[in-house]
Amino acid sequence: MKKIFFNDKLGLTQAVLDGRKTMARQIIPFTFREDKMHLSRYKVGEIYAIAQSYETIFHSGNCPNDFFVDSSTINKKYCGAGFKNKLFVRADAMPHHIRIINVKIERLQDIDDESCMKEGIGKYFLGFDSPHTDCMGFTYSFDESGKYKYPNAKQAFVSLIYKLLGKCIWESNPFMFVYEFELID
C-alpha cells in the first residue's frame, strides 16, 4: 500500500480526517497533452494510507495493534525518525485511508466554488449582529485564531494555494491533476 501526504501546518491532514477536504490538486510537471492522463500519480479506485506521524497516531488513540510491546512500552520499530516525521512511517501502520474516486485535468484558475469547498475551504459565521443578510465568510484555517477569513470561497482557496505552492502559481495558471477522493476509515 502507498501513502498520501497532506500539509499539516495548514491543517489539511485534519481537514481530510474530518471529511472537509475531499479533493486535491497536483501540478502537471510537463507540457499538457491529453495522452498524459496515464501519468497521474494516483489512480481511480486505488486506496492510499493518509500519512501521519506515529506520535500523532499515538495521541489520537488510533495506534496499530503492535504499537505497544506491552501496556507501558512503545515498540521500537515505531520509535525511529517516523515517530515525529510522517515521511518515515509505514503505510500499513496508518489507521486512516482514502479511495480515489475521480481524476481529471484542469487549469488551476478553472476551479469553481464547489471544488473550493472540496479542497477544504469552509464557511464560518460572521456573527448575528452583522447588518448584512449574508453572514457567511470563508476560511481554510479552522483553528481558534480566526485570522484567515475571506469574502468568498475562491479567494480563500487562492490564499491557500499561495501558501502551499508560492505566490506566482495562481498567475501562471498551470494544468493540474485534480484528484477527488473519499475517506474510507
Side-chain angles (χ1 to χ4, degrees), residues 73-90:
T73 310
I74 296 174
N75 191 326
K76 293 204 183 299
K77 72 180 176 181
Y78 297 106
C79 290
F83 192 74
K84 291 190 178 271
N85 185 339
K86 67 183 182 179
L87 182 64
F88 301 106
V89 299
R90 294 183 7 232

Side-chain angles (χ1 to χ4, degrees), residues 31-169:
T31 304
F32 174 72
R33 290 186 5 221
E34 276 297 326
D35 64 344
K36 299 296 182 183
M37 185 63 120
H38 69 281
L39 296 176
S40 79
R41 178 181 295 175
Y42 307 110
K43 310 292 185 210
V44 172
E46 289 186 344
I47 296 173
Y48 297 89
I50 300 170
Q52 296 178 271
S53 69
Y54 294 127
E55 179 180 45
T56 302
I57 295 166
F58 173 74
H59 289 299
S60 71
N62 289 317
C63 300
N65 290 337
D66 60 347
F67 196 86
F68 295 103
V69 173
D70 58 44
S71 62
S72 64
T73 310
I74 296 174
N75 191 326
K76 293 204 183 299
K77 72 180 176 181
Y78 297 106
C79 290
F83 192 74
K84 291 190 178 271
N85 185 339
K86 67 183 182 179
L87 182 64
F88 301 106
V89 299
R90 294 183 7 232
D92 64 334
M94 296 297 97
H96 302 289
H97 302 84
I98 62 169
R99 177 182 296 113
I100 304 297
I101 58 175
N102 190 25
V103 179
K104 63 182 178 179
I105 295 174
E106 69 179 24
R107 289 241 187 219
L108 179 58
Q109 292 181 15
D110 291 342
I111 191 169
D112 59 19
D113 285 345
E114 181 183 349
S115 292
C116 288
M117 302 302 279
K118 289 179 179 181
E119 284 280 355
I121 301 303
K123 294 179 183 178
Y124 70 91
F125 288 99
L126 296 173
F128 294 106
D129 58 345
S130 172
H132 305 290
T133 56
D134 182 8
C135 294
M136 288 289 189
F138 296 85
T139 184
Y140 62 84
S141 173
F142 290 88
D143 62 11
E144 297 302 314
S145 71
K147 60 184 175 183
Y148 302 113
K149 296 178 180 175
Y150 302 91
N152 61 57
K154 196 170 220 176
Q155 284 183 1
F157 175 75
V158 170
S159 181
L160 175 62
I161 284 295
Y162 280 167
K163 290 191 180 290
L164 286 170
L165 302 174
K167 289 280 184 188
C168 297
I169 195 68

